[in-house]
Amino acid sequence: MIDVLAPGPYATIQDLGRPGYAHLGVPRSGAADERALTLANRLVGNPEGHAGIELTFGGARLRFADPAWIAVTGAPCPLYLAGRVAEMYAPVWVPAGAELVVGAPAAGLRTYLAVRGGVEVEAVLGSRSHDSLSGLGPPPLRPGDRLPVGVAGDRPITVDAVPGPAFPAAPVLGVLPGPREDWFTEEALRAFYGTPYEITPESNRVGVRLRGAALHRAREGEIPSEGMVTGAVQVPPDGRPIVFLPDHPPTGGYPVIGVLTSRALAVIAQLRPGDQVRFRPGGPGAR
Amino acid sequence: MTGGQAPAIRRAGEHGLLVETGELAISHRLDALLRAERPPGVVEIVPGPATVLVVAPGVDLARLRARLSDLARTAGEAPPARPSGTDTVVIPVVYDGADLPGVAELTGLSVRDVIARHTGTELVAGWLGFAPGFAYLTGLDPELHVPRLATPRTSVPAGAVAIAGPYSAVYPSASPGGWRLIGHTTLRTWDVRADPPSILRPGTRVRFQAAGP
């Protein structure tokens, strides 16, 4: 059992979500920075899709009733285990009864904790992810929650530590154009790919809302509702783009100017309100 | 799109293709063909009123695009009068919705006629969205097309039967909602423990039936 003493500003259980139900109106959900969760799982010898804890702005305190192997990845935070400094991006042995304190991240937004055996709360539609749009899955963590830990598999822990990724201050993110690029004026495309955008405080796991040059449409009317992918840059009538994160609605009626690459998606999921970002067409991802 | 023509297929990110079907019935036929065939790597098939989104991480999208083009052409050809093996879901409704008198007033019909028109046509689940299990039921009698409420309710109970614009719906779970409530059903259309969790899926035929209170 893991006892949640304090969850920090916002913490949820996340795995790789609920693929395969979009046609029934179910968001995929899952870790916002999938790369960080899968790495944390590999570090403790879990299958990549085991459920872990996604912390937003760090700040959590957890007590481990039983001994455990854990790994913490994503936005780099100070870690204290039983009062001593512990490493991120490494498997860490936790003795029974020890308390883990996660500080505020120096950079980035979301920090992931994996435990060997995985967090084993009840799965809904095959996933333990909290979906902030529909409410499916376990609710956000609260003080006093007790999280069961699953039985560890046979896979050994083989790595001592890995280098963490860089958290660039003003990243340039790769975007694959379309599917509805033709809905926008030349001027809008120049602005989208040529001027900086700022992450606003209204951003959440549904989408990153951007402030910057408004993107005007080349035509009138609306498109009929159509399927949306994670990373889609949807542009509502006010011209302010929204980048869809894993809890996005599976269908939407506003045109999508482009879709972030999976590398770019992992980067934008770690940006904070006030951070700046630029976009470039094509390309394999963030520089 | 008309029968036989190659459909437009647009790129939707690294892992997605968006097929332009141009009409809902073709979206449903392409959806059925894709679910029967399940091309390798396909994880999502999302039909919409004029498109089908196909998501397939890690597969050769050029090959998938060619296959989608063939299937979309087949879907666009004249269909059988009615696909076999598609049963109609009957939804029993107690017509006691808070907005029923208002709908009668807006449409100039009597309450009895509103009910008769709501139960009098077969509807088809077009696509799902807004909430898990929330199906936009198409084919509503044009006399019943009414605008959404100016101010949405903060809470609509699960099972509420509602209309707005050209659609009807059953609220699958409690949620805020701006559609006009005309009744409720005890039929559970959404259950996360059932497989599949929704009895309404794109293409499902639906008929409402008046039930006693």
PDB file of all heavy atoms in Angstrom, chain B residues 92-129:
ATOM      1  N   PRO B  92     -37.663   2.130 -24.204  1.00  0.00           N
ATOM      2  CA  PRO B  92     -38.936   2.523 -23.589  1.00  0.00           C
ATOM      3  C   PRO B  92     -38.781   3.881 -22.891  1.00  0.00           C
ATOM      4  O   PRO B  92     -37.823   4.087 -22.153  1.00  0.00           O
ATOM      5  CB  PRO B  92     -39.195   1.417 -22.569  1.00  0.00           C
ATOM      6  CG  PRO B  92     -37.851   0.857 -22.243  1.00  0.00           C
ATOM      7  CD  PRO B  92     -36.955   1.096 -23.420  1.00  0.00           C
ATOM      8  N   VAL B  93     -39.713   4.779 -23.153  1.00  0.00           N
ATOM      9  CA  VAL B  93     -39.596   6.134 -22.608  1.00  0.00           C
ATOM     10  C   VAL B  93     -40.858   6.510 -21.849  1.00  0.00           C
ATOM     11  O   VAL B  93     -41.973   6.328 -22.349  1.00  0.00           O
ATOM     12  CB  VAL B  93     -39.382   7.170 -23.734  1.00  0.00           C
ATOM     13  CG1 VAL B  93     -39.244   8.583 -23.145  1.00  0.00           C
ATOM     14  CG2 VAL B  93     -38.157   6.826 -24.569  1.00  0.00           C
ATOM     15  N   VAL B  94     -40.688   7.012 -20.652  1.00  0.00           N
ATOM     16  CA  VAL B  94     -41.778   7.681 -19.940  1.00  0.00           C
ATOM     17  C   VAL B  94     -41.679   9.155 -20.312  1.00  0.00           C
ATOM     18  O   VAL B  94     -40.666   9.806 -20.036  1.00  0.00           O
ATOM     19  CB  VAL B  94     -41.644   7.494 -18.408  1.00  0.00           C
ATOM     20  CG1 VAL B  94     -42.775   8.232 -17.694  1.00  0.00           C
ATOM     21  CG2 VAL B  94     -41.641   6.012 -18.057  1.00  0.00           C
ATOM     22  N   TYR B  95     -42.711   9.649 -21.011  1.00  0.00           N
ATOM     23  CA  TYR B  95     -42.651  11.030 -21.502  1.00  0.00           C
ATOM     24  C   TYR B  95     -43.112  12.000 -20.419  1.00  0.00           C
ATOM     25  O   TYR B  95     -44.250  12.431 -20.380  1.00  0.00           O
ATOM     26  CB  TYR B  95     -43.469  11.164 -22.798  1.00  0.00           C
ATOM     27  CG  TYR B  95     -42.725  10.558 -23.973  1.00  0.00           C
ATOM     28  CD1 TYR B  95     -42.927   9.222 -24.333  1.00  0.00           C
ATOM     29  CD2 TYR B  95     -41.787  11.303 -24.687  1.00  0.00           C
ATOM     30  CE1 TYR B  95     -42.224   8.649 -25.377  1.00  0.00           C
ATOM     31  CE2 TYR B  95     -41.077  10.728 -25.737  1.00  0.00           C
ATOM     32  CZ  TYR B  95     -41.295   9.416 -26.079  1.00  0.00           C
ATOM     33  OH  TYR B  95     -40.585   8.860 -27.113  1.00  0.00           O
ATOM     34  N   ASP B  96     -42.171  12.314 -19.524  1.00  0.00           N
ATOM     35  CA  ASP B  96     -42.474  13.190 -18.394  1.00  0.00           C
ATOM     36  C   ASP B  96     -41.405  14.279 -18.263  1.00  0.00           C
ATOM     37  O   ASP B  96     -41.169  14.798 -17.188  1.00  0.00           O
ATOM     38  CB  ASP B  96     -42.549  12.364 -17.094  1.00  0.00           C
ATOM     39  CG  ASP B  96     -41.237  11.629 -16.801  1.00  0.00           C
ATOM     40  OD1 ASP B  96     -40.295  11.716 -17.634  1.00  0.00           O
ATOM     41  OD2 ASP B  96     -41.138  10.972 -15.747  1.00  0.00           O
ATOM     42  N   GLY B  97     -40.713  14.577 -19.359  1.00  0.00           N
ATOM     43  CA  GLY B  97     -39.597  15.527 -19.284  1.00  0.00           C
ATOM     44  C   GLY B  97     -40.061  16.940 -18.948  1.00  0.00           C
ATOM     45  O   GLY B  97     -41.148  17.370 -19.345  1.00  0.00           O
ATOM     46  N   ALA B  98     -39.188  17.657 -18.239  1.00  0.00           N
ATOM     47  CA  ALA B  98     -39.525  19.011 -17.789  1.00  0.00           C
ATOM     48  C   ALA B  98     -39.763  19.953 -18.968  1.00  0.00           C
ATOM     49  O   ALA B  98     -40.489  20.940 -18.843  1.00  0.00           O
ATOM     50  CB  ALA B  98     -38.401  19.549 -16.904  1.00  0.00           C
ATOM     51  N   ASP B  99     -39.160  19.661 -20.110  1.00  0.00           N
ATOM     52  CA  ASP B  99     -39.291  20.563 -21.251  1.00  0.00           C
ATOM     53  C   ASP B  99     -40.373  20.127 -22.241  1.00  0.00           C
ATOM     54  O   ASP B  99     -40.527  20.754 -23.292  1.00  0.00           O
ATOM     55  CB  ASP B  99     -37.948  20.663 -21.998  1.00  0.00           C
ATOM     56  CG  ASP B  99     -36.848  21.205 -21.103  1.00  0.00           C
ATOM     57  OD1 ASP B  99     -37.138  22.097 -20.294  1.00  0.00           O
ATOM     58  OD2 ASP B  99     -35.700  20.740 -21.227  1.00  0.00           O
ATOM     59  N   LEU B 100     -41.099  19.047 -21.921  1.00  0.00           N
ATOM     60  CA  LEU B 100     -42.089  18.531 -22.877  1.00  0.00           C
ATOM     61  C   LEU B 100     -43.159  19.575 -23.226  1.00  0.00           C
ATOM     62  O   LEU B 100     -43.427  19.793 -24.415  1.00  0.00           O
ATOM     63  CB  LEU B 100     -42.712  17.236 -22.337  1.00  0.00           C
ATOM     64  CG  LEU B 100     -43.631  16.468 -23.278  1.00  0.00           C
ATOM     65  CD1 LEU B 100     -42.912  16.077 -24.576  1.00  0.00           C
ATOM     66  CD2 LEU B 100     -44.178  15.212 -22.588  1.00  0.00           C
ATOM     67  N   PRO B 101     -43.730  20.258 -22.222  1.00  0.00           N
ATOM     68  CA  PRO B 101     -44.724  21.294 -22.589  1.00  0.00           C
ATOM     69  C   PRO B 101     -44.099  22.399 -23.443  1.00  0.00           C
ATOM     70  O   PRO B 101     -44.718  22.894 -24.388  1.00  0.00           O
ATOM     71  CB  PRO B 101     -45.174  21.840 -21.230  1.00  0.00           C
ATOM     72  CG  PRO B 101     -44.817  20.783 -20.227  1.00  0.00           C
ATOM     73  CD  PRO B 101     -43.590  20.115 -20.760  1.00  0.00           C
ATOM     74  N   GLY B 102     -42.862  22.770 -23.127  1.00  0.00           N
ATOM     75  CA  GLY B 102     -42.163  23.814 -23.885  1.00  0.00           C
ATOM     76  C   GLY B 102     -41.916  23.402 -25.326  1.00  0.00           C
ATOM     77  O   GLY B 102     -42.042  24.211 -26.257  1.00  0.00           O
ATOM     78  N   VAL B 103     -41.571  22.121 -25.518  1.00  0.00           N
ATOM     79  CA  VAL B 103     -41.350  21.616 -26.874  1.00  0.00           C
ATOM     80  C   VAL B 103     -42.663  21.656 -27.660  1.00  0.00           C
ATOM     81  O   VAL B 103     -42.688  22.040 -28.841  1.00  0.00           O
ATOM     82  CB  VAL B 103     -40.756  20.189 -26.837  1.00  0.00           C
ATOM     83  CG1 VAL B 103     -40.820  19.532 -28.212  1.00  0.00           C
ATOM     84  CG2 VAL B 103     -39.308  20.223 -26.339  1.00  0.00           C
ATOM     85  N   ALA B 104     -43.751  21.285 -26.980  1.00  0.00           N
ATOM     86  CA  ALA B 104     -45.057  21.331 -27.641  1.00  0.00           C
ATOM     87  C   ALA B 104     -45.365  22.772 -28.083  1.00  0.00           C
ATOM     88  O   ALA B 104     -45.799  23.015 -29.224  1.00  0.00           O
ATOM     89  CB  ALA B 104     -46.142  20.812 -26.697  1.00  0.00           C
ATOM     90  N   GLU B 105     -45.071  23.714 -27.204  1.00  0.00           N
ATOM     91  CA  GLU B 105     -45.333  25.119 -27.515  1.00  0.00           C
ATOM     92  C   GLU B 105     -44.474  25.591 -28.692  1.00  0.00           C
ATOM     93  O   GLU B 105     -44.962  26.230 -29.620  1.00  0.00           O
ATOM     94  CB  GLU B 105     -45.033  25.948 -26.267  1.00  0.00           C
ATOM     95  CG  GLU B 105     -45.676  27.315 -26.266  1.00  0.00           C
ATOM     96  CD  GLU B 105     -45.555  27.956 -24.900  1.00  0.00           C
ATOM     97  OE1 GLU B 105     -45.878  27.276 -23.897  1.00  0.00           O
ATOM     98  OE2 GLU B 105     -45.092  29.100 -24.844  1.00  0.00           O
ATOM     99  N   LEU B 106     -43.175  25.246 -28.646  1.00  0.00           N
ATOM    100  CA  LEU B 106     -42.245  25.672 -29.701  1.00  0.00           C
ATOM    101  C   LEU B 106     -42.617  25.113 -31.068  1.00  0.00           C
ATOM    102  O   LEU B 106     -42.427  25.764 -32.096  1.00  0.00           O
ATOM    103  CB  LEU B 106     -40.820  25.196 -29.367  1.00  0.00           C
ATOM    104  CG  LEU B 106     -39.980  26.069 -28.440  1.00  0.00           C
ATOM    105  CD1 LEU B 106     -38.740  25.284 -27.992  1.00  0.00           C
ATOM    106  CD2 LEU B 106     -39.556  27.354 -29.141  1.00  0.00           C
ATOM    107  N   THR B 107     -43.120  23.860 -31.064  1.00  0.00           N
ATOM    108  CA  THR B 107     -43.385  23.203 -32.339  1.00  0.00           C
ATOM    109  C   THR B 107     -44.827  23.420 -32.800  1.00  0.00           C
ATOM    110  O   THR B 107     -45.157  23.109 -33.942  1.00  0.00           O
ATOM    111  CB  THR B 107     -43.155  21.682 -32.212  1.00  0.00           C
ATOM    112  OG1 THR B 107     -43.957  21.192 -31.138  1.00  0.00           O
ATOM    113  CG2 THR B 107     -41.695  21.376 -31.930  1.00  0.00           C
ATOM    114  N   GLY B 108     -45.663  23.948 -31.905  1.00  0.00           N
ATOM    115  CA  GLY B 108     -47.070  24.114 -32.254  1.00  0.00           C
ATOM    116  C   GLY B 108     -47.830  22.798 -32.287  1.00  0.00           C
ATOM    117  O   GLY B 108     -48.931  22.721 -32.840  1.00  0.00           O
ATOM    118  N   LEU B 109     -47.239  21.769 -31.693  1.00  0.00           N
ATOM    119  CA  LEU B 109     -47.908  20.464 -31.652  1.00  0.00           C
ATOM    120  C   LEU B 109     -48.481  20.242 -30.258  1.00  0.00           C
ATOM    121  O   LEU B 109     -48.065  20.881 -29.293  1.00  0.00           O
ATOM    122  CB  LEU B 109     -46.897  19.346 -31.942  1.00  0.00           C
ATOM    123  CG  LEU B 109     -46.184  19.363 -33.297  1.00  0.00           C
ATOM    124  CD1 LEU B 109     -45.040  18.353 -33.288  1.00  0.00           C
ATOM    125  CD2 LEU B 109     -47.172  19.034 -34.413  1.00  0.00           C
ATOM    126  N   SER B 110     -49.404  19.299 -30.159  1.00  0.00           N
ATOM    127  CA  SER B 110     -49.854  18.902 -28.827  1.00  0.00           C
ATOM    128  C   SER B 110     -48.794  17.983 -28.230  1.00  0.00           C
ATOM    129  O   SER B 110     -47.975  17.416 -28.954  1.00  0.00           O
ATOM    130  CB  SER B 110     -51.187  18.152 -28.930  1.00  0.00           C
ATOM    131  OG  SER B 110     -50.994  16.937 -29.629  1.00  0.00           O
ATOM    132  N   VAL B 111     -48.805  17.829 -26.917  1.00  0.00           N
ATOM    133  CA  VAL B 111     -47.874  16.914 -26.259  1.00  0.00           C
ATOM    134  C   VAL B 111     -48.026  15.509 -26.846  1.00  0.00           C
ATOM    135  O   VAL B 111     -47.055  14.811 -27.127  1.00  0.00           O
ATOM    136  CB  VAL B 111     -48.105  16.916 -24.730  1.00  0.00           C
ATOM    137  CG1 VAL B 111     -47.445  15.713 -24.076  1.00  0.00           C
ATOM    138  CG2 VAL B 111     -47.576  18.214 -24.118  1.00  0.00           C
ATOM    139  N   ARG B 112     -49.267  15.133 -27.070  1.00  0.00           N
ATOM    140  CA  ARG B 112     -49.541  13.814 -27.645  1.00  0.00           C
ATOM    141  C   ARG B 112     -48.866  13.666 -29.020  1.00  0.00           C
ATOM    142  O   ARG B 112     -48.265  12.626 -29.325  1.00  0.00           O
ATOM    143  CB  ARG B 112     -51.052  13.627 -27.760  1.00  0.00           C
ATOM    144  CG  ARG B 112     -51.483  12.266 -28.289  1.00  0.00           C
ATOM    145  CD  ARG B 112     -52.962  12.310 -28.640  1.00  0.00           C
ATOM    146  NE  ARG B 112     -53.800  12.479 -27.455  1.00  0.00           N
ATOM    147  CZ  ARG B 112     -54.443  11.472 -26.858  1.00  0.00           C
ATOM    148  NH1 ARG B 112     -54.358  10.258 -27.345  1.00  0.00           N
ATOM    149  NH2 ARG B 112     -55.181  11.691 -25.806  1.00  0.00           N
ATOM    150  N   ASP B 113     -48.922  14.736 -29.826  1.00  0.00           N
ATOM    151  CA  ASP B 113     -48.303  14.668 -31.156  1.00  0.00           C
ATOM    152  C   ASP B 113     -46.771  14.657 -31.075  1.00  0.00           C
ATOM    153  O   ASP B 113     -46.101  14.016 -31.901  1.00  0.00           O
ATOM    154  CB  ASP B 113     -48.758  15.851 -32.022  1.00  0.00           C
ATOM    155  CG  ASP B 113     -50.164  15.633 -32.554  1.00  0.00           C
ATOM    156  OD1 ASP B 113     -50.629  14.470 -32.522  1.00  0.00           O
ATOM    157  OD2 ASP B 113     -50.789  16.626 -32.986  1.00  0.00           O
ATOM    158  N   VAL B 114     -46.226  15.377 -30.107  1.00  0.00           N
ATOM    159  CA  VAL B 114     -44.766  15.344 -29.923  1.00  0.00           C
ATOM    160  C   VAL B 114     -44.332  13.899 -29.660  1.00  0.00           C
ATOM    161  O   VAL B 114     -43.384  13.392 -30.267  1.00  0.00           O
ATOM    162  CB  VAL B 114     -44.327  16.267 -28.758  1.00  0.00           C
ATOM    163  CG1 VAL B 114     -42.851  16.030 -28.404  1.00  0.00           C
ATOM    164  CG2 VAL B 114     -44.557  17.733 -29.122  1.00  0.00           C
ATOM    165  N   ILE B 115     -45.054  13.236 -28.758  1.00  0.00           N
ATOM    166  CA  ILE B 115     -44.730  11.845 -28.418  1.00  0.00           C
ATOM    167  C   ILE B 115     -44.898  10.955 -29.648  1.00  0.00           C
ATOM    168  O   ILE B 115     -44.048  10.108 -29.947  1.00  0.00           O
ATOM    169  CB  ILE B 115     -45.614  11.351 -27.250  1.00  0.00           C
ATOM    170  CG1 ILE B 115     -45.300  12.169 -25.992  1.00  0.00           C
ATOM    171  CG2 ILE B 115     -45.405   9.864 -26.994  1.00  0.00           C
ATOM    172  CD1 ILE B 115     -46.299  11.977 -24.857  1.00  0.00           C
ATOM    173  N   ALA B 116     -45.980  11.169 -30.374  1.00  0.00           N
ATOM    174  CA  ALA B 116     -46.243  10.337 -31.563  1.00  0.00           C
ATOM    175  C   ALA B 116     -45.116  10.499 -32.587  1.00  0.00           C
ATOM    176  O   ALA B 116     -44.677   9.531 -33.205  1.00  0.00           O
ATOM    177  CB  ALA B 116     -47.588  10.721 -32.191  1.00  0.00           C
ATOM    178  N   ARG B 117     -44.636  11.723 -32.751  1.00  0.00           N
ATOM    179  CA  ARG B 117     -43.569  11.935 -33.735  1.00  0.00           C
ATOM    180  C   ARG B 117     -42.224  11.410 -33.238  1.00  0.00           C
ATOM    181  O   ARG B 117     -41.398  10.942 -34.015  1.00  0.00           O
ATOM    182  CB  ARG B 117     -43.472  13.421 -34.096  1.00  0.00           C
ATOM    183  CG  ARG B 117     -44.614  13.861 -34.991  1.00  0.00           C
ATOM    184  CD  ARG B 117     -44.557  15.329 -35.340  1.00  0.00           C
ATOM    185  NE  ARG B 117     -45.736  15.727 -36.104  1.00  0.00           N
ATOM    186  CZ  ARG B 117     -45.813  15.619 -37.430  1.00  0.00           C
ATOM    187  NH1 ARG B 117     -44.806  15.153 -38.127  1.00  0.00           N
ATOM    188  NH2 ARG B 117     -46.922  15.999 -38.054  1.00  0.00           N
ATOM    189  N   HIS B 118     -42.010  11.483 -31.927  1.00  0.00           N
ATOM    190  CA  HIS B 118     -40.734  10.981 -31.392  1.00  0.00           C
ATOM    191  C   HIS B 118     -40.672   9.457 -31.460  1.00  0.00           C
ATOM    192  O   HIS B 118     -39.598   8.872 -31.666  1.00  0.00           O
ATOM    193  CB  HIS B 118     -40.540  11.450 -29.941  1.00  0.00           C
ATOM    194  CG  HIS B 118     -39.139  11.263 -29.426  1.00  0.00           C
ATOM    195  ND1 HIS B 118     -38.834  10.423 -28.395  1.00  0.00           N
ATOM    196  CD2 HIS B 118     -37.954  11.808 -29.828  1.00  0.00           C
ATOM    197  CE1 HIS B 118     -37.519  10.463 -28.172  1.00  0.00           C
ATOM    198  NE2 HIS B 118     -36.972  11.295 -29.018  1.00  0.00           N
ATOM    199  N   THR B 119     -41.830   8.812 -31.309  1.00  0.00           N
ATOM    200  CA  THR B 119     -41.856   7.340 -31.362  1.00  0.00           C
ATOM    201  C   THR B 119     -42.123   6.838 -32.785  1.00  0.00           C
ATOM    202  O   THR B 119     -41.988   5.648 -33.042  1.00  0.00           O
ATOM    203  CB  THR B 119     -42.956   6.778 -30.436  1.00  0.00           C
ATOM    204  OG1 THR B 119     -44.207   7.401 -30.784  1.00  0.00           O
ATOM    205  CG2 THR B 119     -42.658   7.053 -28.983  1.00  0.00           C
ATOM    206  N   GLY B 120     -42.452   7.752 -33.681  1.00  0.00           N
ATOM    207  CA  GLY B 120     -42.954   7.329 -34.992  1.00  0.00           C
ATOM    208  C   GLY B 120     -41.902   7.067 -36.054  1.00  0.00           C
ATOM    209  O   GLY B 120     -42.221   6.564 -37.124  1.00  0.00           O
ATOM    210  N   THR B 121     -40.659   7.404 -35.807  1.00  0.00           N
ATOM    211  CA  THR B 121     -39.638   7.159 -36.827  1.00  0.00           C
ATOM    212  C   THR B 121     -38.502   6.332 -36.235  1.00  0.00           C
ATOM    213  O   THR B 121     -38.246   6.373 -35.025  1.00  0.00           O
ATOM    214  CB  THR B 121     -39.025   8.478 -37.363  1.00  0.00           C
ATOM    215  OG1 THR B 121     -38.561   9.248 -36.254  1.00  0.00           O
ATOM    216  CG2 THR B 121     -40.016   9.276 -38.168  1.00  0.00           C
ATOM    217  N   GLU B 122     -37.818   5.600 -37.117  1.00  0.00           N
ATOM    218  CA  GLU B 122     -36.637   4.871 -36.675  1.00  0.00           C
ATOM    219  C   GLU B 122     -35.452   5.813 -36.769  1.00  0.00           C
ATOM    220  O   GLU B 122     -35.263   6.464 -37.799  1.00  0.00           O
ATOM    221  CB  GLU B 122     -36.422   3.645 -37.563  1.00  0.00           C
ATOM    222  CG  GLU B 122     -35.347   2.741 -37.033  1.00  0.00           C
ATOM    223  CD  GLU B 122     -35.215   1.479 -37.877  1.00  0.00           C
ATOM    224  OE1 GLU B 122     -34.714   1.582 -39.007  1.00  0.00           O
ATOM    225  OE2 GLU B 122     -35.613   0.407 -37.404  1.00  0.00           O
ATOM    226  N   LEU B 123     -34.686   5.898 -35.703  1.00  0.00           N
ATOM    227  CA  LEU B 123     -33.505   6.752 -35.711  1.00  0.00           C
ATOM    228  C   LEU B 123     -32.250   5.898 -35.846  1.00  0.00           C
ATOM    229  O   LEU B 123     -32.295   4.685 -35.649  1.00  0.00           O
ATOM    230  CB  LEU B 123     -33.444   7.591 -34.422  1.00  0.00           C
ATOM    231  CG  LEU B 123     -34.533   8.681 -34.342  1.00  0.00           C
ATOM    232  CD1 LEU B 123     -35.802   8.149 -33.726  1.00  0.00           C
ATOM    233  CD2 LEU B 123     -34.038   9.899 -33.583  1.00  0.00           C
ATOM    234  N   VAL B 124     -31.163   6.544 -36.190  1.00  0.00           N
ATOM    235  CA  VAL B 124     -29.887   5.844 -36.327  1.00  0.00           C
ATOM    236  C   VAL B 124     -28.840   6.598 -35.508  1.00  0.00           C
ATOM    237  O   VAL B 124     -28.726   7.824 -35.628  1.00  0.00           O
ATOM    238  CB  VAL B 124     -29.445   5.768 -37.809  1.00  0.00           C
ATOM    239  CG1 VAL B 124     -28.063   5.121 -37.922  1.00  0.00           C
ATOM    240  CG2 VAL B 124     -30.459   4.999 -38.640  1.00  0.00           C
ATOM    241  N   ALA B 125     -28.099   5.851 -34.680  1.00  0.00           N
ATOM    242  CA  ALA B 125     -26.999   6.484 -33.939  1.00  0.00           C
ATOM    243  C   ALA B 125     -25.953   6.925 -34.957  1.00  0.00           C
ATOM    244  O   ALA B 125     -25.383   6.100 -35.672  1.00  0.00           O
ATOM    245  CB  ALA B 125     -26.407   5.497 -32.936  1.00  0.00           C
ATOM    246  N   GLY B 126     -25.754   8.230 -35.066  1.00  0.00           N
ATOM    247  CA  GLY B 126     -24.821   8.750 -36.066  1.00  0.00           C
ATOM    248  C   GLY B 126     -23.384   8.578 -35.611  1.00  0.00           C
ATOM    249  O   GLY B 126     -22.580   7.912 -36.253  1.00  0.00           O
ATOM    250  N   TRP B 127     -23.063   9.179 -34.495  1.00  0.00           N
ATOM    251  CA  TRP B 127     -21.731   9.077 -33.906  1.00  0.00           C
ATOM    252  C   TRP B 127     -21.883   9.378 -32.427  1.00  0.00           C
ATOM    253  O   TRP B 127     -22.941   9.806 -31.987  1.00  0.00           O
ATOM    254  CB  TRP B 127     -20.754  10.057 -34.569  1.00  0.00           C
ATOM    255  CG  TRP B 127     -21.148  11.487 -34.391  1.00  0.00           C
ATOM    256  CD1 TRP B 127     -20.697  12.348 -33.432  1.00  0.00           C
ATOM    257  CD2 TRP B 127     -22.113  12.208 -35.168  1.00  0.00           C
ATOM    258  NE1 TRP B 127     -21.336  13.563 -33.572  1.00  0.00           N
ATOM    259  CE2 TRP B 127     -22.190  13.500 -34.625  1.00  0.00           C
ATOM    260  CE3 TRP B 127     -22.912  11.883 -36.270  1.00  0.00           C
ATOM    261  CZ2 TRP B 127     -23.050  14.470 -35.138  1.00  0.00           C
ATOM    262  CZ3 TRP B 127     -23.772  12.859 -36.788  1.00  0.00           C
ATOM    263  CH2 TRP B 127     -23.827  14.130 -36.226  1.00  0.00           C
ATOM    264  N   LEU B 128     -20.810   9.115 -31.664  1.00  0.00           N
ATOM    265  CA  LEU B 128     -20.860   9.383 -30.230  1.00  0.00           C
ATOM    266  C   LEU B 128     -19.840  10.457 -29.873  1.00  0.00           C
ATOM    267  O   LEU B 128     -18.794  10.568 -30.507  1.00  0.00           O
ATOM    268  CB  LEU B 128     -20.591   8.102 -29.427  1.00  0.00           C
ATOM    269  CG  LEU B 128     -21.776   7.125 -29.409  1.00  0.00           C
ATOM    270  CD1 LEU B 128     -21.789   6.241 -30.645  1.00  0.00           C
ATOM    271  CD2 LEU B 128     -21.780   6.276 -28.149  1.00  0.00           C
ATOM    272  N   GLY B 129     -20.171  11.233 -28.870  1.00  0.00           N
ATOM    273  CA  GLY B 129     -19.289  12.306 -28.435  1.00  0.00           C
ATOM    274  C   GLY B 129     -19.923  12.982 -27.253  1.00  0.00           C
ATOM    275  O   GLY B 129     -20.911  12.490 -26.713  1.00  0.00           O
TER     276      GLY B 129
END
